[in-house]
Amino acid sequence: MEIGIMATIFLGLLAFIYTLIPDSTQPLETNFCPQYKPLVPNYNLSYYNSNYFYTSEYSNKSLTQFQGAIKIPTVSYDDLPMDVTKDPRFKVFKTLHEYFEKTFPLTSQYVEFVNEYGLLYTIQGSNPSLKPVVLMSHQDVVPVAESSLDLWDYPPFEAHFDGEYIHGRGSSDTKNSLLAILEATETLLEQDYSPERTLILSFGFDEEISGYRGAGELGKTIHDRYGDDGIEVIIDEGSGVAPIAGARVVALTVAEKGYVDINVSLDTTGGHSSLPPDHTNIGIISEFVTLLEQNPFPPELNEGNPVLPYFQCLAEHAPKLNEQIRRTVLEIEKGSHKKDFIEYVSGIPLVKYLIRTSQAADVIQGGSKVNALPERTTVSVNHRINIGSSVADIVERFEKFATDLARKYDFGVVSFGETLIEPTAKGVFTIGAPRTLETAPLSPTSGEIWEKVAGTSLHVFNPETNPFIDNDTPVFVAPAVFPANTDTRHYWSNTRAIYRFNPVFQEDMIEYHTVNERLRWRSHLTSTAWFYDFILNTTL
């Protein structure tokens, strides 16, 4: 997953907030962002509570378990086939499963395998009228380039622990949540855990390559059993807990941007390079890309975008937030302030795409020989679609630019199989997309489920219960938007209550998806405590 994007955005936001005029500690009297009391579980199982997970006894046990999982290189490669039986590289997941069976024997009694390597654990509740709770993660990690091995401080699959950080591929993304969920569940089962509400653990194995083999099949299986909206709540990886403006923000992601890669090909006649036309199709496709980049998507704060509620929470609860931002956000209903807010967000390079559709021309292919005119050139442009926009908006824009150029050069245009301008002897533009994904349905930011997610977080990230939170640091919950996509894309029909949240300290996730990936150990202990408490709060 592009989980590290949230940490990058957080750093950009943090840097921007502190570059403006002096702060104020006197918020205006408003109530955009109500908070909840910490939700303390009913610890009626043996002697355990969330404090147990911070003990040296548990930490040592957990570290050994985590290291064992990191050492198994469950890598997803872009060229893996859809049929998982056709490539031996999938078999490494079987090794991980055998490790889980040995390490988590009680939890493993409830496992079934979906599409060979998807893990689905179902601990049946005593009350079948209650919708199940689903906890998600993924087993796979991104590859490590051979050329980068000498740049790692420690080998990427050695799982070295330096006393503060655990190093290795997958330590941040996201064997942390995978192991935390299993550890919390195993700890409960050791205490004869018997839920009233069914608990489901669902772990895909190809999230890093869009999840169609893993989460795609798992989501269908869950839907077949429980139907539309048959799940109470889903938790998957996402944002974390970030220090901003003198507070700690528990960012619960309630929305995901959409996704589409648009491919545009231009076919023209070939020939010898000694007799070229004024513009080869490489030049014309380059002109097309220039049109795109000269006309970026405008910022739009559309209805439902959690960016504004997030800033409103900052304005009400972050004591060191810049006064200018605070007043702009809290007085947003005044027409001019909405424009000011959009300008503020647009001025933060790493945050501006939370209110606009992004575009990136990432791949271009054309020509095969230096003295032969190219006959086909193709460009692929990646988009992350803004909340309130759609795939159709992107396609309409591409059709406009393609038809403008087609009329200029006397070409045809075919878009998604529909002829917009008849192809000519000179050439034709062809527009298409291998896969499309609309923006995710918005998850609730009020009601019982929201309060349980928020209340659990305020309990676990409380200075009275968490040794890693300073006593004078306020902690509050805010809704957030995710600019990338998670495996939850395959679960939309199962529930609207989907929260993408990693119960970690955001700054503890270091170098995800790149050299020297590592996770500060306190975040894993906190993650395990969070899942333990959340299971208790939602299933008993």
Side-chain angles (χ1 to χ4, degrees):
M1 204 252 330
E2 294 143 306
I3 185 173
I5 292 174
M6 285 305 296
T8 303
I9 288 173
F10 141 67
L11 291 172
L13 178 60
L14 183 63
F16 180 78
I17 285 173
Y18 283 112
T19 60
L20 299 179
I21 63 178
D23 59 54
S24 169
T25 58
Q26 300 297 323
L28 300 175
E29 293 297 326
T30 57
N31 192 28
F32 289 113
C33 186
Q35 296 297 298
Y36 307 93
K37 292 182 179 179
L39 184 58
V40 183
N42 179 14
Y43 294 120
N44 61 356
L45 301 172
S46 186
Y47 59 87
Y48 293 133
N49 58 41
S50 57
N51 293 331
Y52 167 65
F53 298 100
Y54 306 118
T55 64
S56 59
E57 172 193 359
Y58 188 81
S59 179
N60 292 334
K61 173 185 175 182
S62 177
L63 179 61
T64 300
Q65 294 172 340
F66 199 163
Q67 287 175 312
I70 295 291
K71 291 177 180 178
I72 301 170
T74 49
V75 175
S76 279
Y77 298 94
D78 286 343
D79 62 345
L80 285 169
M82 288 300 295
D83 186 342
V84 301
T85 66
K86 301 297 186 181
D87 196 310
R89 289 177 291 178
F90 282 111
K91 292 183 178 179
V92 69
F93 291 98
K94 182 65 175 176
T95 303
L96 183 65
H97 301 168
E98 292 169 351
Y99 176 73
F100 284 166
E101 184 176 6
K102 178 181 67 174
T103 307
F104 307 107
L106 299 178
T107 306
S108 295
Q109 296 177 59
Y110 300 93
V111 72
E112 59 184 300
F113 301 96
V114 175
N115 197 21
E116 299 290 335
Y117 302 109
L119 296 177
L120 189 65
Y121 303 80
T122 304
I123 303 174
Q124 190 65 44
S126 60
N127 188 345
S129 69
L130 297 177
K131 297 178 181 180
V133 167
V134 176
L135 304 180
M136 293 175 58
S137 187
H138 61 86
Q139 308 165 59
D140 58 316
V141 301
V142 296
V144 176
E146 286 286 330
S147 60
S148 75
L149 288 175
D150 61 343
L151 302 176
W152 286 73
D153 293 338
Y154 306 98
F157 296 106
E158 184 181 88
H160 177 80
F161 181 61
D162 64 10
E164 185 176 10
Y165 289 90
I166 183 166
H167 298 250
R169 176 63 82 231
S171 57
S172 283
D173 186 8
T174 187
K175 286 185 175 175
N176 167 54
S177 61
L178 180 67
L179 269 291
I181 293 169
L182 287 169
E183 290 175 44
T185 304
E186 188 77 6
T187 303
L188 286 164
L189 292 172
E190 289 171 356
Q191 304 168 74
D192 299 323
Y193 167 70
S194 181
E196 182 180 9
R197 187 189 300 275
T198 296
L199 173 66
I200 296 173
L201 315 182
S202 184
F203 303 146
F205 58 92
D206 64 336
E207 191 275 344
E208 300 293 359
I209 48 176
S210 297
Y212 290 94
R213 306 160 190 79
E217 297 301 320
L218 288 160
K220 290 176 186 175
T221 300
I222 292 172
H223 184 268
D224 288 345
R225 293 177 184 176
Y226 301 99
D228 286 343
D229 197 32
I231 299 301
E232 181 77 354
V233 61
I234 291 175
I235 305 293
D236 194 17
E237 61 178 337
S239 49
V241 180
I244 296 181
R248 281 247 174 220
V249 186
V250 179
L252 301 178
T253 302
V254 298
E256 285 187 6
K257 297 180 74 175
Y259 181 106
V260 64
D261 293 324
I262 302 287
N263 298 331
V264 180
S265 297
L266 177 58
D267 292 281
T268 58
T269 55
H272 199 281
S273 295
S274 62
L275 298 170
D278 292 338
H279 304 281
T280 69
N281 58 23
I282 290 178
I284 296 169
I285 281 289
S286 298
E287 186 176 349
F288 182 88
V289 172
T290 298
L291 277 174
L292 291 178
E293 294 187 345
Q294 287 178 341
N295 297 275
F297 289 89
E300 294 180 315
L301 185 62
N302 297 317
E303 183 177 356
N305 193 324
V307 167
L308 177 57
Y310 179 86
F311 272 87
Q312 287 172 330
C313 288
L314 285 177
E316 289 187 349
H317 302 292
K320 296 183 179 180
L321 184 67
N322 173 273
E323 178 65 16
Q324 184 178 342
I325 295 177
R326 189 192 311 281
R327 291 191 171 274
T328 296
V329 171
L330 296 182
E331 297 176 353
I332 194 72
E333 294 179 0
K334 299 178 181 179
S336 62
H337 284 286
K338 181 176 180 180
K339 179 181 178 182
D340 291 341
F341 177 73
I342 291 173
E343 289 180 358
Y344 280 135
V345 176
S346 297
I348 311 173
L350 295 175
V351 181
K352 66 181 182 180
Y353 286 112
L354 297 183
I355 58 169
R356 70 170 72 198
T357 295
S358 66
Q359 63 177 14
D362 291 324
V363 179
I364 189 165
Q365 297 172 321
S368 59
K369 201 171 187 299
V370 75
N371 63 346
L373 296 173
E375 297 171 339
R376 167 174 288 187
T377 298
T378 300
V379 64
S380 298
V381 186
N382 174 266
H383 301 82
R384 308 304 171 103
I385 305 170
N386 189 24
I387 306 300
S389 187
S390 66
V391 172
D393 293 339
I394 313 297
V395 173
E396 181 181 1
R397 185 166 176 272
F398 269 68
E399 289 176 346
K400 178 187 183 306
F401 289 141
T403 54
D404 286 348
L405 287 178
R407 292 189 177 102
K408 177 179 178 179
Y409 292 107
D410 192 21
F411 295 146
V413 178
V414 176
S415 179
F416 291 84
E418 179 184 356
T419 299
L420 305 183
I421 299 177
E422 285 292 335
T424 70
K426 290 187 177 181
V428 60
F429 283 104
T430 303
I431 303 170
R435 286 196 180 107
T436 64
L437 182 69
E438 299 290 355
T439 57
L442 293 172
S443 300
T445 56
S446 62
E448 182 180 357
I449 297 303
W450 170 262
E451 291 183 21
K452 286 186 177 181
V453 179
T456 299
S457 301
L458 292 173
H459 171 65
V460 173
F461 289 92
N462 187 314
E464 295 182 4
T465 59
N466 191 314
F468 307 116
I469 298 284
D470 295 334
N471 287 326
D472 59 349
T473 301
V475 180
F476 62 91
V477 173
V481 60
F482 202 62
N485 305 110
T486 67
D487 264 345
T488 60
R489 73 178 80 180
H490 302 291
Y491 293 71
W492 290 354
S493 63
N494 290 310
T495 182
R496 288 293 296 271
I498 298 176
Y499 299 101
R500 304 143 187 95
F501 175 58
N502 263 14
V504 300
F505 298 96
Q506 194 81 64
E507 69 271 24
D508 289 356
M509 297 172 54
I510 310 295
E511 307 296 357
Y512 27 80
H513 279 219
T514 189
V515 171
N516 289 325
E517 180 179 351
R518 59 196 183 276
L519 178 75
R520 196 174 181 184
W521 187 240
R522 65 174 186 173
S523 275
H524 182 68
L525 301 178
T526 300
S527 292
T528 308
W530 191 93
F531 284 111
Y532 182 87
D533 282 1
F534 186 73
I535 293 171
L536 290 176
N537 281 333
T538 54
T539 66
L540 292 184

